[in-house]
Amino acid sequence: MATLPHDDVYQLIREPIDVAALARLVRAPEDGAVVTFDGFVRNQSHNRATLYLDYEAYESMALAKMREIGIQIHGKYRVHRVAMVHRLGRLEIGETSVFIAVSAPHRAAAFDACRFAIDTLKRTVPIWKKENFADGAVCADVELPPAPAATPRAKPAS
């Protein structure tokens, strides 16, 4: 794994994410806490069974944005190391899509930084998720899936 200043890691990969190795990588003797976020593929979305997900990214910009998030984290929180890895391609149910690990001397900074990392990544990094269902697919956060047949439609406002 390539490292950057602060021994941080920012990657987009197409193979399974080794969450244990990343958690070990950020941990050091001067730290008192490692907080992790493990985002993985669930088996349903919008009341429909999910078959699998596809992730795409504008890779050079996504990596640059991930590094920017790391710089912000080091500026805002007293942390030691950050690892932020997102998977691309087809992911099956239960597979990790995004993993973030933050080490710090104290737990509060590690928790706050890890939450900031995932929230900011979701808002700013150009990575797109396509949800695949038995009856079609939608780009998450872009298209609304069709309502299941049993769901009543809302009445228009009067």
Side-chain angles (χ1 to χ4, degrees):
M1 293 182 173
T3 59
L4 296 169
H6 307 287
D7 295 322
D8 289 353
V9 174
Y10 305 96
Q11 295 179 328
L12 298 171
I13 63 173
R14 288 178 170 69
E15 62 274 353
I17 298 172
D18 187 342
V19 299
L22 289 167
R24 283 191 308 272
L25 181 73
V26 300
R27 186 178 177 142
E30 61 267 33
D31 296 324
V34 172
V35 172
T36 64
F37 174 81
D38 184 350
F40 50 91
V41 181
R42 64 181 174 267
N43 66 0
Q44 56 76 35
S45 181
H46 308 286
N47 297 317
R48 297 168 73 189
T50 302
L51 300 177
Y52 60 93
L53 300 181
D54 283 304
Y55 283 95
E56 295 180 22
Y58 179 172
E59 294 186 39
S60 61
M61 184 182 283
L63 284 169
K65 288 288 189 184
M66 291 165 75
R67 289 183 190 105
E68 285 178 22
I69 293 167
I71 291 167
Q72 291 174 17
I73 288 170
H74 284 285
K76 290 175 68 110
Y77 306 99
R78 190 167 171 246
V79 300
H80 182 220
R81 290 184 183 138
V82 176
M84 190 180 310
V85 178
H86 205 296
R87 182 127 174 242
L88 301 177
R90 180 177 169 148
L91 279 75
E92 302 299 331
I93 305 305
E95 290 189 292
T96 295
S97 56
V98 59
F99 186 79
I100 298 169
V102 179
S103 65
H106 303 285
R107 71 180 178 271
F111 273 110
D112 293 345
C114 195
R115 173 126 198 178
F116 175 84
I118 188 58
D119 290 348
T120 307
L121 181 145
K122 295 288 281 180
R123 271 193 335 273
T124 66
V125 178
I127 297 173
W128 302 281
K129 174 174 67 173
K130 184 176 183 182
E131 296 175 311
N132 294 274
F133 307 102
D135 60 345
V138 295
C139 291
D141 301 323
V142 176
E143 304 172 62
L144 292 176
T151 301
R153 301 270 181 200
K155 294 181 182 177
S158 40

